[in-house]
């Protein structure tokens, strides 16, 4: 049997074990120390040009080195009996001292590498070597998972098939394929799987995702503590990420600002994925996990998470989106110089586009601000679709669509603007006429044109030559209809927050499109509400617990303004039901539409869900189809739990239309109900 120096024997590149049981190695060391290497189980090695690669006998090679060290130690401690405890202590002490077993072996080779050892030369090519090594390692001590995976990959590289490897080690072929997958994912994730924190199926799911998505998904998984993500969650996320094409501009949007927000996000995504592809897809995996990866421009929660994940310190600052930077750097297709909105007359109206709001989220051109672009601007190739205020609804060129009023061309927008300007001018002239003195009244610039009316009893007697005729007291002037209307609006705006204004059915002014920053007229004492601009029919109500339940529900008083038009999308207004039954969405949608249709059929003076759809400012405009139109536009943004809440609410609206009393969910969640009734808003209450 040939011999060679121990240092000439190197670990094989396809070695399956990367970890070793030190106590088992101590037992083998003691055997080799006592009787040397067994002739029937020698080290088997294959020439590699500079020495030999061990095919079988890696542990025996290490045990031989430890036996030489044990021999020298025994010489220095002749009075100590060599036992297994002594050998274990020696090996553990060396590993603790030098850090790893590999470092200990390297150190021992420096001292004992020239010692001779017998071995058997392996006859066969690279593939045969690896298969023999794998067969030898499946003995009494099972090799570790990562070592097996590495060895299987080496065998495949040498030309072996998974079927050959499986037969050689006595395993199923799927066992081999699963381990091969471990070499196709990042080592850190493979280590977590090898440690048992995640099942092998996760490796298969991740490996099936192409790069750089694969590494990004692995980064996301590793960023979560072990046990937080289930295997099913990871596999679902991997499948979605594999198919996900990245952010792309939508073909259809609800309004122009949504189109521009989509432009900004697509541009931001492109910048990040080009510069840091793996980090970009790690963020995408997180967003997929949270179910906010699709159409983030359609929902404020999605939008915030996207900018938080990708915006860095430029586009997400102090916990909020930096819209100034977003508009300036990410919406470069839009420019005020080419935007048709900028061609409108510069005169600002009391009811104007963007309600007189400037800055990046408003329309600077409508408030006299200088800017290069804004979130509402149109790019040269954009289809013309501009939302206008609700009180423009009756102007020529304005159409109702999806719960908004819109102008579909510049000519229509200009016509609507001119009509609004003319209306405001007429209102101002009418107000001026009221303030001017009548022709027969003193002007204040000269003497009165008629004798003054007697103001005392003596004056009256002197002028009539005797007994004074009784002077009738002048009746107080009755307030006009518009004054009464504005008083109602002001009273509701003042008092409604003192009631149950946080109930989902409550109509809070702060969440209404008609709420204005200033008066709709030149008179700042007029309530800051678009409905107060001129005489219109207004209606206010209170939902209160029916008499038989008043004591059980406390002071439930839900304020309702029939003019309310929500400024938020349905996704932000409808709470998620805590216990949705999991019925099909299509069935729920069908039932909701059926209940709303029946409710509208039984009620002649109101439509169902006015607090979600709003109602037109023009008395002659039919809005019976508004719920269906808005449901089609916004229903897809609702979660299953929110859709079930809407289903519960629809039953209440159906009851509301058929009888005086109906069931109202307490706090809107749909688990507890109270019977309520509508009553008119009384201005004198709680004053």
């Amino acid at each position: 049997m040939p011999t060679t120096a121990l240092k000439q024997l190197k670990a094989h590149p396809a070695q399956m074990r990367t970890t070793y049981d030190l106590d088992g190695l101590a037992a083998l060391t003691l055997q080799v120390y006592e009787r040397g290497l067994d002739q029937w189980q020698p080290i088997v090695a294959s020439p590699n040009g500079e020495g030999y690669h061990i095919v079988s006998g890696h542990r025996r090679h290490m045990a031989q080195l430890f036996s030489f060290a044990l021999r020298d130690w025994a010489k220095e401690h002749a009075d100590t009996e060599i036992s297994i405890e002594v050998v274990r202590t020696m090996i553990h002490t060396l590993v603790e001292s030098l850090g790893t077993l590999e470092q200990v072996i390297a150190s021992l080779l420096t001292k004992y590498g020239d010692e001779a050892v017998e071995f058997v030369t392996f006859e066969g090519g690279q593939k045969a070597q690896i298969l023999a090594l794998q067969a030898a390692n499946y003995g009494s001590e099972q090799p570790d998972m990562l070592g097996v995976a590495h060895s299987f990959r080496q065998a495949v590289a040498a030309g072996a098939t998974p079927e050959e490897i499986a037969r050689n080690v006595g395993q199923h072929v799927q066992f081999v394929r699963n381990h091969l997958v471990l070499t196709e994912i990042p080592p850190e994730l493979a280590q977590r799987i090898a440690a048992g924190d995640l099942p092998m199926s996760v490796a298969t799911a991740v490996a099936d995702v192409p790069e750089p998505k694969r590494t990004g998904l692995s980064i996301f998984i590793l960023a979560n503590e072990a046990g937080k993500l289930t295997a099913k969650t990871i596999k679902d996320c991997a499948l979605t990420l594999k198919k996900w094409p990245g952010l792309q501009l939508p073909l259809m949007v609800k309004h122009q600002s949504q189109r521009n927000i989509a432009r900004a996000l697509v541009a931001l995504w492109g910048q990040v994925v080009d510069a840091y592809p793996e980090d970009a897809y790690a963020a995408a995996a997180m967003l997929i996990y949270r179910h906010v990866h699709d159409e983030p421009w359609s929902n404020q929660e999605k939008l915030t998470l996207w900018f938080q994940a990708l915006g860095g310190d430029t586009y997400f600052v102090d916990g909020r989106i930096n819209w100034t930077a977003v508009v300036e750097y990410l919406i470069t297709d839009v420019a005020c110089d080419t935007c048709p909105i900028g061609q409108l007359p510069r005169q600002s109206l009391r009811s104007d586009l963007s309600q007189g709001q400037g800055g990046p989220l408003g329309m600077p051109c409508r408030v006299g601000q200088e800017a290069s672009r804004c979130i509402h601007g149109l790019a040269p190739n954009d289809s013309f679709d501009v939302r206008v205020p609700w009180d423009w609804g009756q102007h020529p060129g304005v159409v109702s669509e999806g719960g908004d009023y819109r102008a579909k061309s510049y000519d229509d927008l200009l016509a609507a603007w001119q009509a609004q300007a003319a209306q405001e001018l007429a209102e101002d002239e009418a107000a001026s006429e009221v303030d001017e003195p009548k022709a027969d009244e003193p002007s204040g610039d000269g003497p009165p044109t008629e004798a003054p009316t007697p103001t005392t009893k003596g004056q009256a007697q002197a002028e009539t030559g005797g007994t004074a005729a009784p002077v009738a007291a002048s009746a107080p002037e009755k307030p006009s209809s518009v004054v009464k209307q504005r008083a109602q609006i002001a009273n509701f705006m003042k008092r409604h927050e003192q009631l149950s204004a946080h109930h989902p059915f409550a109509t809070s002014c702060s969440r209404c499109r008609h709420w204005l920053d200033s008066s709709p007229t030149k008179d700042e004492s007029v309530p800051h509400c678009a409905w107060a601009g001129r005489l219109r029919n207004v209606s206010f109500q209170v939902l209160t617990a029916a008499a038989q339940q008043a004591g059980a529900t406390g002071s439930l008083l839900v304020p309702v303004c029939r003019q309310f038009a929500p400024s938020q999308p349905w996704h932000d207004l409808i709470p998620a039901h805590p216990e949705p039954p999991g019925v099909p969405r299509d069935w729920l949608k069908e039932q909701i539409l059926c209940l709303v249709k029946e409710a509208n059929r039984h009620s002649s003076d109101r439509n169902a869900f006015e607090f979600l759809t709003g109602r037109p400012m023009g008395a002659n405009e039919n809005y019976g189809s508004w719920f269906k139109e808005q449901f089609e536009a916004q229903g897809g943004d609702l979660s299953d739990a929110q859709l079930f809440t809407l289903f519960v609410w629809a039953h209440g609206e159906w009851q509301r239309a058929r009888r005086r009393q109906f069931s109202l969910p307490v706090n809107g969640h749909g688990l507890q109900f109270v019977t309520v009734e509508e009553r008119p808003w009384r201005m004198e209450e709680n004053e």
Side-chain angles (χ1 to χ4, degrees):
M1 188 178 297
T3 61
T4 187
L6 278 170
K7 64 184 180 183
Q8 293 295 107
L9 298 173
K10 310 289 186 181
H12 199 286
Q15 166 61 356
M16 300 178 75
R17 288 194 177 94
T18 59
T19 60
Y20 292 86
D21 177 22
L22 296 185
D23 289 344
L25 189 57
L28 182 58
T29 296
L30 184 58
Q31 293 176 12
V32 174
Y33 173 77
E34 292 291 344
R35 62 175 188 264
L37 290 174
D38 293 328
Q39 292 292 321
W40 59 270
Q41 197 175 20
I43 295 174
V44 180
S46 174
N48 65 1
E50 299 177 354
Y52 300 90
H53 277 148
I54 301 173
V55 176
S56 175
H58 289 81
R59 294 175 65 250
R60 278 165 275 159
H61 178 258
M62 290 187 284
Q64 184 71 78
L65 284 168
F66 279 121
S67 71
F68 290 140
L70 184 60
R71 178 193 64 192
D72 291 347
W73 186 89
K75 290 178 181 178
E76 297 175 2
H77 302 80
D79 296 335
T80 302
E81 181 181 357
I82 303 300
S83 64
I84 187 62
E85 288 77 12
V86 170
V87 182
R88 287 174 180 169
T89 301
M90 180 190 75
I91 292 178
H92 280 279
T93 301
L94 287 172
V95 171
E96 291 173 4
S97 175
L98 296 181
T100 65
L101 179 60
E102 289 76 12
Q103 290 174 311
V104 173
I105 296 302
S107 176
L108 293 177
L109 281 171
T110 301
K111 186 172 184 179
Y112 303 111
D114 292 327
E115 294 280 354
V117 63
E118 292 183 339
F119 74 101
V120 173
T121 302
F122 181 84
E123 301 294 339
Q126 183 75 359
K127 172 181 172 181
Q129 290 178 36
I130 297 174
L131 293 177
L133 180 149
Q134 293 170 355
N137 272 280
Y138 272 90
S140 59
E141 185 179 333
Q142 183 75 10
D144 64 280
M145 186 180 291
L146 294 182
V148 171
H150 173 71
S151 181
F152 285 175
R153 178 58 59 191
Q154 292 286 323
V156 170
T161 66
E163 290 76 13
E164 287 180 295
I165 299 172
R167 289 193 297 270
N168 185 63
V169 299
Q171 297 289 341
H172 293 290
V173 68
Q174 191 59 44
F175 175 88
V176 176
R177 291 192 175 115
N178 286 343
H179 281 75
L180 286 171
V181 163
L182 285 175
T183 66
E184 300 173 10
I185 62 177
E188 297 82 1
L189 181 58
Q191 289 172 4
R192 182 173 287 192
I193 293 171
D197 294 336
L198 292 168
M200 185 72 80
S201 59
V202 168
T204 303
V206 173
D208 193 44
V209 178
E211 289 289 6
K213 293 180 178 181
R214 181 188 307 168
T215 299
L217 176 60
S218 300
I219 292 172
F220 165 66
I221 296 171
L222 293 169
N224 289 274
E225 295 180 359
K228 181 178 180 180
L229 302 178
T230 65
K232 183 180 185 305
T233 297
I234 295 173
K235 287 187 280 189
D236 290 345
C237 187
L239 183 61
T240 302
L241 184 62
K242 179 183 177 181
K243 297 178 180 179
W244 188 63
L247 271 190
Q248 298 178 345
L249 278 176
L251 296 176
M252 301 291 293
V253 291
K254 296 177 181 177
H255 44 77
Q256 185 62 25
S257 59
Q258 190 178 86
R259 187 194 309 277
N260 285 329
I261 291 171
R263 278 194 174 104
L265 282 171
V266 170
L268 178 60
W269 169 256
Q271 292 174 8
V272 176
V273 81
D274 287 344
Y276 312 102
E278 295 173 350
D279 291 338
Y281 283 112
M286 179 274 293
L287 296 166
I288 289 171
Y289 167 70
R290 300 186 67 166
H291 303 291
V292 295
H293 60 291
D294 277 339
E295 298 187 344
W297 43 82
S298 65
N299 177 274
Q300 183 61 42
E301 178 188 2
K302 292 182 179 182
L303 192 61
T304 300
L305 286 172
W306 267 87
F307 276 108
Q308 184 177 3
L310 300 175
D313 296 333
T314 302
Y315 303 112
F316 196 81
V317 180
D318 296 331
R320 64 185 63 184
I321 300 170
N322 181 2
W323 285 110
T324 300
V326 169
V327 171
E328 185 65 24
Y329 302 118
L330 296 178
I331 313 179
T332 54
D333 290 344
V334 175
C336 290
D337 294 340
T338 59
C339 177
I341 298 175
Q343 300 175 23
L344 287 175
R346 289 291 179 172
Q347 175 189 348
S348 295
L349 305 178
R350 288 191 294 274
S351 176
D352 210 328
L353 300 177
S354 191
Q355 295 298 334
Q357 180 183 1
L361 293 181
M363 288 186 180
C365 64
R366 302 310 309 152
V367 295
Q369 294 178 349
E370 293 296 327
S372 57
R373 60 183 58 87
C374 75
I375 201 73
H376 301 280
L378 282 84
N381 294 324
D382 287 346
S383 58
F384 197 98
D385 187 355
V386 176
R387 290 189 297 178
V388 299
W390 274 43
D391 47 350
W392 291 26
Q394 298 299 304
H395 294 333
V398 175
V399 297
S400 174
E401 184 178 290
D404 289 308
Y405 290 102
R406 304 168 183 266
K408 293 293 189 175
S409 71
Y410 176 75
D411 291 341
D412 289 340
L413 180 64
L414 179 60
W417 184 92
Q418 292 171 337
Q420 181 64 23
Q423 177 179 304
E424 293 187 7
L425 178 61
E427 291 171 354
D428 293 343
E429 291 175 347
S432 298
E433 291 175 0
V434 171
D435 294 337
E436 292 176 356
K438 296 179 181 179
D440 57 352
E441 291 180 349
S443 65
D445 296 329
T449 58
E450 298 180 2
T453 302
T455 57
T456 67
K457 181 177 180 180
Q459 288 175 325
Q461 289 176 335
E463 293 184 10
T464 58
T467 304
V471 179
S474 60
E477 184 179 352
K478 292 184 178 180
S480 66
S481 298
V482 71
V483 170
K484 291 180 180 179
Q485 168 204 304
R486 289 169 177 170
Q488 280 186 291
I489 295 173
N491 184 267
F492 182 87
M493 294 179 72
K494 176 182 177 181
R495 289 176 40 219
H496 79 283
E497 290 291 348
Q498 302 169 11
L499 308 183
S500 306
H502 297 293
H503 191 283
F505 281 42
T507 55
S508 173
C509 293
S510 62
R511 295 185 287 106
C512 180
R513 299 186 192 211
H514 302 311
W515 186 85
L516 304 176
D517 291 330
S518 59
S519 168
T521 72
K522 286 186 175 181
D523 183 358
E524 276 300 316
S525 66
V526 172
H528 294 185
C529 173
W531 281 77
R534 58 185 175 87
L535 183 61
R536 295 183 176 92
N537 290 326
V538 295
S539 174
F540 303 95
Q541 297 171 332
V542 174
L543 303 181
T544 183
Q548 65 270 26
Q549 292 194 347
T553 58
S555 56
L556 179 66
L557 295 170
V558 180
V560 176
C561 169
R562 289 282 306 279
Q563 296 68 242
F564 177 77
S567 59
Q568 298 169 285
W570 289 10
H571 181 275
D572 295 336
L573 296 174
I574 302 174
H577 195 283
E579 298 179 7
V583 296
R585 288 179 65 90
D586 290 343
W587 183 86
L588 280 177
K589 290 180 179 179
E590 181 181 347
Q591 297 304 310
I592 291 170
L593 290 173
C594 181
L595 288 166
V596 168
K597 181 179 179 180
E598 286 297 306
N600 291 345
R601 188 170 67 87
H602 281 87
S603 180
S604 59
D605 63 337
R606 68 181 300 277
N607 284 316
F609 288 120
E610 287 181 350
F611 65 94
L612 288 180
T613 66
R615 55 190 284 255
M617 300 184 76
N620 297 326
E621 185 175 354
N622 188 341
Y623 64 111
S625 62
W626 279 19
F627 178 83
K628 183 178 180 181
E629 292 173 1
Q630 295 187 38
F631 189 43
E632 291 174 352
Q634 301 192 56
D637 297 334
L638 302 178
S639 67
D640 291 348
Q642 288 177 306
L643 192 64
F644 189 72
T645 294
L646 188 62
F647 172 69
V648 172
W649 287 2
H651 280 80
E653 289 292 280
W654 176 77
Q655 292 177 338
R656 190 178 190 175
R658 294 174 65 90
R659 53 181 180 264
R660 183 167 173 266
Q661 296 182 348
F662 63 98
S663 297
L664 182 73
V666 176
N667 296 324
H669 54 48
L671 289 182
Q672 182 182 355
F673 295 85
V674 59
T675 300
V676 299
E677 57 189 10
E678 292 178 331
R679 61 174 175 78
W681 181 271
R682 298 189 179 96
M683 293 182 61
E684 68 275 8
E685 288 184 355
N686 300 324
E687 291 184 343

